[in-house]
Amino acid sequence: MLHWRKQDIAQSSASGVNQAATTTAGNGQTVQPSDSDLQAIKMSDGYVRPAMILTAFALFCGLMYNAAGALWKVLDRPIEQLSVTGNTQYLQPQQLMAKLATVVQHGTKSGSLLSIDIHELQQRALEDPWVNSAAIRRQWPPAVKVTVEEQVAVAKWGGKGLLNHQGDIFIPEDTVSLDFLPLLNGPSTDTARVMDQYHTLSQFFKGGDTYMLGLTLQARGAWTLLLNNQIEVELGREQVLARLRRFLQLYRGHLYLKGPQIERVDVRYSNGVAVKWRPGLEQIQVN
């Protein structure tokens, strides 16, 4: 039995390397390669190996590019269907779909599934005042699905605008069907403030036949109420809640009997209110 040791194997390997590094001359003598020859061999091996790796990588990239191009051609087919979905009450999906169809057919990019400009399509959908948000999704077979979220109108703003639940102003073409909403007015930068004040003041009218129809914030900071019987109530800038309580005490006491004749009530006085009667009657002081 032969016994091998690690040092025997190491010596054998070393002798093999030395033999491979020598050459035999014509006269039978061995010639040891010079250091420069060994260095040249090493440098040559250092260039060949990276070149082979880069070549293989280039071939792989070429194959992948060709495969991707072929797959793109298969998937990038003309859009066959365009749909608009979402829970809508005032938005007209058919009208919006007709508008978006023009983008698909005549947009800045080809109307094919992968080439269509999704960002452009989304921006055109958001141009509709009733669209609060729009999500665009590609589907196969070639189709584009547009999912919209409709604006939630909580109040009318000014003469033509509406306020959504986030306090943003939007202006649809027709607001006739929204006459039941409260009418708010004020600087466009104070929509949230006006909404909060409306909710606060409207609590004082609960349980009665008279209620707030609107609220206006003047540029100078004064508040004016509009009641459902078309009476305007001037509250001013200070002590708004206290003044409103005083008005309601007087109104529920006896002013409501003259409600149809009253145009405006000014409660900015410290000891009473001023009543402006509708045309034909003088303004009087009510204590």
Side-chain angles (χ1 to χ4, degrees), residues 37-214:
D37 292 335
L38 292 175
Q39 186 67 23
I41 293 173
K42 291 180 179 179
M43 291 179 63
S44 176
D45 183 65
Y47 284 115
V48 172
R49 186 179 298 275
M52 293 177 63
I53 295 174
L54 289 176
T55 301
F57 180 73
L59 290 174
F60 174 78
C61 291
L63 292 174
M64 293 300 296
Y65 178 80
N66 291 334
L71 181 61
W72 181 277
K73 291 180 179 179
V74 172
L75 297 179
D76 194 30
R77 297 177 56 186
I79 296 173
E80 300 176 358
Q81 183 180 4
L82 174 66
S83 62
V84 176
T85 61
N87 295 325
T88 61
Q89 183 177 1
Y90 303 102
L91 176 68
Q92 302 296 325
Q94 294 299 327
Q95 294 181 5
L96 179 59
M97 188 166 59
K99 179 181 179 180
L100 298 180
T102 61
V103 180
V104 174
Q105 297 172 1
H106 310 291
T108 56
K109 293 185 179 181
S110 171
S112 53
L113 185 63
L114 299 182
S115 300
I116 187 69
D117 192 336
I118 294 297
H119 179 71
E120 180 184 4
L121 201 63
Q122 184 182 44
Q123 291 302 312
R124 292 296 296 272
L126 293 175
E127 289 177 1
D128 191 301
W130 279 110
V131 176
N132 185 46
S133 65
I136 316 296
R137 186 173 62 182
R138 297 182 176 95
Q139 292 182 329
W140 185 265
V144 172
K145 182 179 180 180
V146 182
T147 304
V148 297
E149 178 185 349
E150 189 178 57
Q151 298 274 20
V152 179
V154 297
K156 293 187 292 184
W157 184 264
K160 298 180 179 179
L162 295 173
L163 280 184
N164 65 12
H165 62 290
Q166 298 171 325
D168 299 324
I169 302 173
F170 64 101
I171 305 176
E173 295 180 359
D174 184 15
T175 60
V176 176
S177 59
L178 298 170
D179 288 340
F180 63 93
L181 294 176
L183 175 60
L184 306 181
N185 283 284
S188 59
T189 56
D190 290 326
T191 56
R193 180 185 176 190
V194 176
M195 289 175 61
D196 290 342
Q197 186 72 308
Y198 174 83
H199 289 306
T200 299
L201 300 182
S202 62
Q203 302 300 316
F204 289 84
F205 294 87
K206 284 188 173 181
D209 296 332
T210 304
Y211 57 88
M212 287 178 59
L213 195 64

Side-chain angles (χ1 to χ4, degrees), residues 263-284:
E263 180 177 335
R264 181 181 297 117
V265 179
D266 190 343
V267 294
R268 293 176 293 178
Y269 298 92
S270 57
N271 296 321
V273 299
V275 178
K276 180 180 180 181
W277 304 96
R278 298 195 181 277
L281 296 175
E282 288 185 352
Q283 182 178 4
I284 63 172

Side-chain angles (χ1 to χ4, degrees), residues 25-36:
N27 56 4
Q29 297 180 350
T30 59
V31 179
Q32 188 74 21
S34 64
D35 293 340
S36 60

